[in-house]
Amino acid sequence: MSTAPSKVLVPAEDLRTFSAALLEKGGLSAEHAATTADVFVWAALRGVDSHGIARVPAYLELLAKGVANARPEITVESTTAATAVVDADRAPGPVALTAAAHEAVRRARETGIASVGVRRTVHTGAIGYYVSKIAEQGLVGLGFVAGMPNMGYTGVKGAAVATSPLAVAVPARDHAPLLLDMATATIALGKIRQAKASSTPLPEGAAATEDGTPTTDPEKAVMPLPLGGAKGSGMSLAFELLTSVLVGAPIFSAFHSDDPKGRKHRQNALLIALDPAAFGDPDTFTAAVDGTLSTLKGLPVADGANGVYYPGERSAGVAELRAAQGVPVSPKVWRELTESAARLGVTPPQTAPDA
Protein backbone atom coordinates (compact mmCIF):
# COMPACT_ATOMS: atom_id res chain seq x y z
CA MET A 1 0.00 0.00 0.00
CA SER A 2 1.50 3.33 -1.07
CA THR A 3 1.79 6.19 1.36
CA ALA A 4 1.12 9.85 0.72
CA PRO A 5 4.18 11.83 -0.36
CA SER A 6 6.00 13.31 2.62
CA LYS A 7 6.96 16.90 3.16
CA VAL A 8 10.43 18.06 2.25
CA LEU A 9 12.79 19.97 4.52
CA VAL A 10 14.48 23.07 3.14
CA PRO A 11 17.07 25.14 5.05
CA ALA A 12 15.51 28.49 5.92
CA GLU A 13 18.22 30.54 4.25
CA ASP A 14 17.96 28.48 1.05
CA LEU A 15 14.20 28.91 1.10
CA ARG A 16 14.60 32.66 1.53
CA THR A 17 17.06 32.91 -1.37
CA PHE A 18 14.89 30.67 -3.58
CA SER A 19 11.70 32.61 -2.84
CA ALA A 20 13.44 35.92 -3.47
CA ALA A 21 14.81 34.67 -6.80
CA LEU A 22 11.32 33.63 -7.91
CA LEU A 23 9.80 36.96 -6.88
CA GLU A 24 12.55 38.88 -8.63
CA LYS A 25 11.89 36.91 -11.81
CA GLY A 26 8.22 37.78 -11.26
CA GLY A 27 9.08 41.45 -11.62
CA LEU A 28 10.05 42.78 -8.19
CA SER A 29 13.32 44.59 -7.64
CA ALA A 30 16.00 42.60 -5.85
CA GLU A 31 15.44 44.60 -2.66
CA HIS A 32 11.65 44.21 -2.70
CA ALA A 33 11.91 40.51 -3.58
CA ALA A 34 14.22 39.91 -0.62
CA THR A 35 11.91 41.82 1.73
CA THR A 36 8.84 39.89 0.59
CA ALA A 37 10.64 36.55 0.82
CA ASP A 38 11.76 37.38 4.35
CA VAL A 39 8.15 37.89 5.45
CA PHE A 40 7.11 34.54 3.94
CA VAL A 41 10.01 32.61 5.48
CA TRP A 42 9.42 34.27 8.88
CA ALA A 43 5.84 32.94 8.82
CA ALA A 44 6.96 29.51 7.61
CA LEU A 45 9.56 29.28 10.38
CA ARG A 46 6.91 29.99 13.00
CA GLY A 47 4.54 27.37 11.61
CA VAL A 48 2.12 29.86 10.05
CA ASP A 49 2.20 27.97 6.77
CA SER A 50 -0.91 29.69 5.40
CA HIS A 51 1.16 32.91 5.20
CA GLY A 52 4.47 31.23 4.46
CA ILE A 53 6.17 30.34 1.20
CA ALA A 54 2.89 28.87 -0.06
CA ARG A 55 2.13 32.51 -0.88
CA VAL A 56 4.93 32.79 -3.45
CA PRO A 57 2.95 31.34 -6.40
CA ALA A 58 -0.04 33.51 -5.46
CA TYR A 59 2.14 36.62 -5.41
CA LEU A 60 3.65 35.70 -8.76
CA GLU A 61 0.11 35.60 -10.10
CA LEU A 62 -0.76 38.96 -8.50
CA LEU A 63 2.31 40.46 -10.16
CA ALA A 64 1.64 38.83 -13.54
CA LYS A 65 -1.94 40.11 -13.57
CA GLY A 66 -0.92 43.59 -12.48
CA VAL A 67 -2.99 43.41 -9.31
CA ALA A 68 0.24 44.05 -7.41
CA ASN A 69 2.57 46.72 -8.76
CA ALA A 70 6.05 45.30 -9.33
CA ARG A 71 7.64 48.75 -9.63
CA PRO A 72 5.70 50.96 -7.22
CA GLU A 73 6.48 54.60 -6.51
CA ILE A 74 6.07 54.52 -2.73
CA THR A 75 5.72 57.92 -1.09
CA VAL A 76 5.64 59.07 2.53
CA GLU A 77 3.34 61.94 3.48
CA SER A 78 3.60 63.65 6.86
CA THR A 79 2.34 66.80 8.54
CA THR A 80 3.53 66.06 12.09
CA ALA A 81 6.62 64.43 13.57
CA ALA A 82 4.77 61.44 15.07
CA THR A 83 2.55 60.56 12.12
CA ALA A 84 2.96 59.57 8.48
CA VAL A 85 1.05 57.91 5.66
CA VAL A 86 2.82 55.56 3.28
CA ASP A 87 1.13 55.51 -0.11
CA ALA A 88 2.04 52.07 -1.41
CA ASP A 89 1.02 52.55 -5.04
CA ARG A 90 -0.27 48.93 -4.96
CA ALA A 91 3.07 47.53 -3.78
CA PRO A 92 2.93 44.07 -2.21
CA GLY A 93 2.11 44.32 1.49
CA PRO A 94 5.50 43.05 2.71
CA VAL A 95 7.20 45.88 0.85
CA ALA A 96 4.84 48.63 2.02
CA LEU A 97 4.45 47.51 5.64
CA THR A 98 8.15 46.87 6.15
CA ALA A 99 8.78 50.45 5.04
CA ALA A 100 6.02 51.61 7.40
CA ALA A 101 7.52 49.69 10.35
CA HIS A 102 10.92 51.32 9.78
CA GLU A 103 9.25 54.72 9.56
CA ALA A 104 7.28 54.12 12.76
CA VAL A 105 10.40 53.11 14.71
CA ARG A 106 12.40 56.07 13.45
CA ARG A 107 9.72 58.54 14.43
CA ALA A 108 8.94 56.90 17.78
CA ARG A 109 12.60 57.22 18.78
CA GLU A 110 12.10 60.98 18.57
CA THR A 111 8.52 61.40 19.74
CA GLY A 112 7.90 58.46 22.10
CA ILE A 113 5.05 57.10 20.03
CA ALA A 114 4.43 57.17 16.29
CA SER A 115 1.71 55.92 13.97
CA VAL A 116 2.14 55.20 10.27
CA GLY A 117 -0.79 54.46 8.00
CA VAL A 118 -0.44 52.44 4.81
CA ARG A 119 -2.69 53.25 1.88
CA ARG A 120 -3.33 51.16 -1.24
CA THR A 121 -1.29 48.03 -0.66
CA VAL A 122 -1.98 44.48 -1.85
CA HIS A 123 -2.18 41.62 0.66
CA THR A 124 -0.30 42.53 3.81
CA GLY A 125 1.02 39.05 4.60
CA ALA A 126 1.63 38.02 8.22
CA ILE A 127 1.05 41.24 10.17
CA GLY A 128 2.87 39.73 13.14
CA TYR A 129 6.10 40.12 11.18
CA TYR A 130 5.94 43.92 11.14
CA VAL A 131 5.15 44.40 14.82
CA SER A 132 7.86 41.85 15.63
CA LYS A 133 10.35 43.96 13.69
CA ILE A 134 9.32 46.91 15.86
CA ALA A 135 9.76 44.82 19.01
CA GLU A 136 13.24 43.75 17.86
CA GLN A 137 14.19 47.40 18.19
CA GLY A 138 13.04 47.43 21.82
CA LEU A 139 9.73 49.16 21.09
CA VAL A 140 6.16 47.96 21.45
CA GLY A 141 4.50 47.34 18.09
CA LEU A 142 0.79 47.40 17.27
CA GLY A 143 -0.76 46.74 13.88
CA PHE A 144 -4.21 46.78 12.31
CA VAL A 145 -5.27 45.83 8.79
CA ALA A 146 -8.45 46.37 6.80
CA GLY A 147 -9.18 44.38 3.66
CA MET A 148 -11.91 43.35 1.24
CA PRO A 149 -15.21 42.23 2.83
CA ASN A 150 -15.25 38.44 3.06
CA MET A 151 -16.85 37.80 6.46
CA GLY A 152 -20.28 38.05 7.96
CA TYR A 153 -21.48 40.85 10.21
CA THR A 154 -24.01 40.30 12.97
CA GLY A 155 -27.47 40.97 11.57
CA VAL A 156 -26.35 41.31 7.93
CA LYS A 157 -27.25 38.93 5.12
CA GLY A 158 -24.12 37.84 3.24
CA ALA A 159 -20.52 39.05 3.41
CA ALA A 160 -20.17 42.48 5.00
CA VAL A 161 -16.78 43.13 6.60
CA ALA A 162 -13.24 41.74 6.34
CA THR A 163 -11.40 39.18 8.45
CA SER A 164 -9.18 42.08 9.47
CA PRO A 165 -6.30 41.13 11.78
CA LEU A 166 -4.59 42.86 14.66
CA ALA A 167 -1.17 42.19 16.14
CA VAL A 168 0.72 43.33 19.23
CA ALA A 169 4.39 42.64 19.98
CA VAL A 170 6.00 43.46 23.32
CA PRO A 171 9.76 43.05 23.81
CA ALA A 172 11.12 41.15 26.80
CA ARG A 173 14.62 40.66 28.20
CA ASP A 174 15.01 36.90 28.69
CA HIS A 175 11.77 35.60 27.17
CA ALA A 176 10.76 35.57 23.54
CA PRO A 177 8.64 38.67 22.84
CA LEU A 178 4.93 38.45 23.44
CA LEU A 179 3.28 38.31 20.02
CA LEU A 180 -0.48 38.41 19.76
CA ASP A 181 -1.47 37.96 16.11
CA MET A 182 -5.11 37.24 15.38
CA ALA A 183 -7.89 37.77 12.89
CA THR A 184 -11.37 39.00 13.73
CA ALA A 185 -12.82 35.78 12.26
CA THR A 186 -13.57 32.55 14.09
CA ILE A 187 -11.82 30.53 11.39
CA ALA A 188 -9.54 31.33 8.47
CA LEU A 189 -10.74 31.03 4.87
CA GLY A 190 -7.94 28.55 4.29
CA LYS A 191 -9.33 26.31 7.03
CA ILE A 192 -12.68 26.23 5.22
CA ARG A 193 -10.93 25.14 2.02
CA GLN A 194 -8.99 22.48 3.91
CA ALA A 195 -12.19 21.16 5.49
CA LYS A 196 -13.81 20.97 2.07
CA ALA A 197 -10.86 19.07 0.61
CA SER A 198 -10.93 16.54 3.44
CA SER A 199 -14.75 16.48 3.84
CA THR A 200 -14.32 17.38 7.51
CA PRO A 201 -17.25 19.07 9.29
CA LEU A 202 -16.56 22.62 10.46
CA PRO A 203 -16.96 23.72 14.08
CA GLU A 204 -20.31 25.17 15.13
CA GLY A 205 -20.53 28.92 14.59
CA ALA A 206 -17.35 29.13 12.54
CA ALA A 207 -18.59 29.50 8.97
CA ALA A 208 -21.63 30.42 6.91
CA THR A 209 -23.24 29.96 3.51
CA GLU A 210 -23.29 32.73 0.93
CA ASP A 211 -26.38 34.32 2.48
CA GLY A 212 -24.86 34.26 5.96
CA THR A 213 -26.60 31.18 7.35
CA PRO A 214 -24.29 29.36 9.80
CA THR A 215 -23.28 25.88 8.64
CA THR A 216 -20.89 23.09 9.58
CA ASP A 217 -21.00 21.64 6.05
CA PRO A 218 -17.72 22.50 4.29
CA GLU A 219 -19.41 22.06 0.90
CA LYS A 220 -21.85 24.87 1.69
CA ALA A 221 -19.54 27.16 3.66
CA VAL A 222 -18.12 30.11 1.73
CA MET A 223 -17.15 32.59 4.42
CA PRO A 224 -16.07 32.71 8.06
CA LEU A 225 -18.16 34.16 10.85
CA PRO A 226 -16.85 36.85 13.22
CA LEU A 227 -14.95 35.86 16.34
CA GLY A 228 -17.30 36.24 19.28
CA GLY A 229 -20.19 37.32 17.07
CA ALA A 230 -20.82 41.04 17.39
CA LYS A 231 -17.41 41.51 19.06
CA GLY A 232 -15.44 40.28 16.05
CA SER A 233 -17.55 42.07 13.46
CA GLY A 234 -17.42 45.27 15.52
CA MET A 235 -13.63 45.05 15.72
CA SER A 236 -13.40 44.60 11.96
CA LEU A 237 -15.53 47.69 11.36
CA ALA A 238 -13.42 49.66 13.85
CA PHE A 239 -10.23 48.63 12.02
CA GLU A 240 -11.75 49.88 8.76
CA LEU A 241 -12.19 53.29 10.41
CA LEU A 242 -8.72 53.22 11.99
CA THR A 243 -6.99 52.33 8.75
CA SER A 244 -8.88 52.83 5.49
CA VAL A 245 -11.01 55.81 6.48
CA LEU A 246 -8.20 57.43 8.45
CA VAL A 247 -5.84 57.40 5.44
CA GLY A 248 -8.54 58.55 3.02
CA ALA A 249 -8.97 55.25 1.21
CA PRO A 250 -12.27 53.68 2.37
CA ILE A 251 -12.77 50.05 1.38
CA PHE A 252 -16.02 49.05 3.11
CA SER A 253 -18.25 51.82 1.74
CA ALA A 254 -16.71 51.58 -1.73
CA PHE A 255 -17.14 47.78 -1.80
CA HIS A 256 -20.83 48.06 -0.98
CA SER A 257 -21.44 50.89 -3.47
CA ASP A 258 -22.56 50.65 -7.10
CA ASP A 259 -19.08 51.54 -8.36
CA PRO A 260 -17.38 48.37 -9.74
CA LYS A 261 -13.98 49.90 -8.90
CA GLY A 262 -14.93 49.49 -5.24
CA ARG A 263 -14.35 45.75 -5.57
CA LYS A 264 -10.80 46.06 -6.85
CA HIS A 265 -8.52 44.22 -4.43
CA ARG A 266 -6.63 46.41 -1.98
CA GLN A 267 -5.76 46.66 1.70
CA ASN A 268 -4.84 49.38 4.17
CA ALA A 269 -3.00 49.23 7.48
CA LEU A 270 -1.91 51.18 10.53
CA LEU A 271 1.30 50.46 12.46
CA ILE A 272 2.05 52.04 15.82
CA ALA A 273 5.43 52.04 17.57
CA LEU A 274 5.64 52.93 21.25
CA ASP A 275 9.01 53.55 22.91
CA PRO A 276 9.12 52.33 26.55
CA ALA A 277 11.89 54.89 27.17
CA ALA A 278 9.27 57.63 26.91
CA PHE A 279 7.56 56.18 30.00
CA GLY A 280 10.61 55.44 32.15
CA ASP A 281 13.63 53.18 32.14
CA PRO A 282 13.33 50.71 29.21
CA ASP A 283 15.40 48.07 31.02
CA THR A 284 13.03 48.21 33.97
CA PHE A 285 10.15 47.76 31.53
CA THR A 286 11.56 44.65 29.82
CA ALA A 287 12.47 43.17 33.19
CA ALA A 288 8.88 43.70 34.33
CA VAL A 289 7.62 42.10 31.12
CA ASP A 290 9.76 39.07 31.93
CA GLY A 291 8.37 39.04 35.44
CA THR A 292 4.81 39.13 34.15
CA LEU A 293 5.40 36.30 31.68
CA SER A 294 7.20 34.22 34.31
CA THR A 295 4.31 34.75 36.72
CA LEU A 296 1.87 33.53 34.08
CA LYS A 297 3.94 30.45 33.36
CA GLY A 298 4.22 29.71 37.07
CA LEU A 299 0.46 29.50 37.58
CA PRO A 300 -1.09 26.06 38.29
CA VAL A 301 -1.55 24.03 35.11
CA ALA A 302 -5.14 23.01 34.45
CA ASP A 303 -6.07 19.34 34.23
CA GLY A 304 -5.43 18.05 30.72
CA ALA A 305 -3.26 21.01 29.68
CA ASN A 306 0.37 20.44 28.72
CA GLY A 307 1.56 23.77 30.07
CA VAL A 308 0.86 27.48 30.29
CA TYR A 309 1.91 29.58 27.32
CA TYR A 310 1.77 33.25 26.43
CA PRO A 311 0.98 34.50 22.89
CA GLY A 312 3.86 33.90 20.52
CA GLU A 313 5.81 31.59 22.82
CA ARG A 314 5.08 28.33 21.04
CA SER A 315 5.57 29.78 17.56
CA ALA A 316 8.93 31.16 18.69
CA GLY A 317 9.87 27.63 19.77
CA VAL A 318 8.80 26.26 16.40
CA ALA A 319 10.93 28.90 14.68
CA GLU A 320 13.98 27.90 16.69
CA LEU A 321 13.47 24.24 15.80
CA ARG A 322 12.85 24.89 12.12
CA ALA A 323 15.82 27.24 11.89
CA ALA A 324 18.00 24.36 13.05
CA GLN A 325 16.38 21.47 11.18
CA GLY A 326 14.85 23.07 8.08
CA VAL A 327 11.40 24.28 7.09
CA PRO A 328 8.91 21.56 6.15
CA VAL A 329 7.14 22.22 2.85
CA SER A 330 4.10 20.26 1.72
CA PRO A 331 4.30 18.26 -1.54
CA LYS A 332 1.66 20.48 -3.17
CA VAL A 333 3.43 23.73 -2.32
CA TRP A 334 6.85 22.35 -3.31
CA ARG A 335 5.44 21.19 -6.64
CA GLU A 336 4.00 24.65 -7.29
CA LEU A 337 7.30 26.30 -6.37
CA THR A 338 9.40 24.00 -8.56
CA GLU A 339 6.97 24.43 -11.47
CA SER A 340 7.33 28.20 -11.12
CA ALA A 341 11.10 27.78 -10.92
CA ALA A 342 11.19 25.74 -14.13
CA ARG A 343 9.08 28.35 -15.90
CA LEU A 344 11.20 31.26 -14.67
CA GLY A 345 14.62 29.63 -14.98
CA VAL A 346 15.41 29.44 -11.25
CA THR A 347 17.28 26.51 -9.71
CA PRO A 348 15.53 25.08 -6.62
CA PRO A 349 17.59 24.38 -3.51
CA GLN A 350 18.45 20.91 -2.25
CA THR A 351 15.86 19.30 -0.01
CA ALA A 352 15.70 16.43 2.47
CA PRO A 353 12.70 14.28 3.42
CA ASP A 354 10.83 15.36 6.54
CA ALA A 355 11.24 12.58 9.07
Side-chain angles (χ1 to χ4, degrees):
M1 181 176 176
S2 62
T3 58
S6 63
K7 293 182 178 181
V8 296
L9 284 176
V10 187
E13 194 53 46
D14 290 350
L15 198 56
R16 187 178 285 108
T17 301
F18 180 42
S19 299
L22 289 172
L23 291 163
E24 188 173 356
K25 288 288 189 177
L28 292 179
S29 68
E31 179 186 0
H32 287 177
T35 296
T36 304
D38 195 53
V39 176
F40 293 158
V41 174
W42 178 89
L45 278 168
R46 297 180 73 94
V48 189
D49 296 324
S50 60
H51 286 65
I53 48 86
R55 290 287 183 178
V56 173
Y59 269 54
L60 290 173
E61 186 175 354
L62 289 173
L63 291 164
K65 290 182 176 180
V67 176
N69 187 356
R71 301 289 171 169
E73 295 184 10
I74 299 174
T75 59
V76 179
E77 306 164 10
S78 178
T79 57
T80 64
T83 307
V85 175
V86 172
D87 191 302
D89 190 28
R90 295 184 296 106
V95 173
L97 270 76
T98 296
H102 288 310
E103 190 71 21
V105 168
R106 183 182 70 79
R107 290 171 180 267
R109 293 279 190 214
E110 300 175 0
T111 59
I113 184 170
S115 56
V116 178
V118 178
R119 178 171 57 220
R120 295 195 306 146
T121 189
V122 178
H123 193 270
T124 54
I127 188 174
Y129 173 91
Y130 314 109
V131 295
S132 291
K133 286 298 179 183
I134 293 173
E136 284 178 9
Q137 300 301 311
L139 281 68
V140 175
L142 298 89
F144 309 91
V145 169
M148 305 301 289
N150 58 356
M151 180 177 78
Y153 185 96
T154 304
V156 174
K157 185 177 182 179
V161 292
T163 57
S164 301
L166 72 100
V168 180
V170 182
R173 185 180 60 188
D174 300 324
H175 290 78
L178 177 141
L179 175 58
L180 174 67
D181 187 351
M182 56 174 281
T184 49
T186 300
I187 191 172
L189 277 167
K191 294 292 186 182
I192 295 176
R193 289 192 287 267
Q194 288 176 359
K196 184 175 182 179
S198 61
S199 299
T200 304
L202 292 160
E204 290 281 352
T209 61
E210 189 171 1
D211 67 0
T213 303
T215 182
T216 60
D217 185 347
E219 292 294 332
K220 296 179 180 178
V222 299
M223 65 178 177
L225 287 170
L227 179 67
K231 296 178 181 179
S233 57
M235 288 170 67
S236 177
L237 186 62
F239 297 167
E240 165 71 5
L241 299 177
L242 288 173
T243 60
S244 305
V245 175
L246 193 64
V247 300
I251 293 177
F252 176 82
S253 57
F255 181 90
H256 292 292
S257 72
D258 294 330
D259 186 353
K261 293 181 181 178
R263 301 209 166 205
K264 185 177 181 180
H265 176 77
R266 63 209 184 279
Q267 293 186 338
N268 301 308
L270 179 71
L271 295 181
I272 299 172
L274 187 155
D275 190 352
F279 293 80
D281 178 39
D283 292 332
T284 300
F285 171 73
T286 52
V289 171
D290 273 329
T292 301
L293 300 178
S294 294
T295 299
L296 172 73
K297 293 188 66 60
L299 295 177
V301 179
D303 293 342
N306 63 358
V308 179
Y309 303 93
Y310 61 87
E313 180 183 6
R314 281 181 285 195
S315 59
V318 172
E320 188 174 344
L321 184 67
R322 290 187 171 187
Q325 298 181 353
V327 178
V329 182
S330 73
K332 177 178 181 294
V333 171
W334 189 246
R335 183 176 65 252
E336 290 175 347
L337 289 170
T338 53
E339 287 174 354
S340 296
R343 187 179 74 253
L344 297 171
V346 175
T347 303
Q350 294 294 313
T351 65
D354 187 10

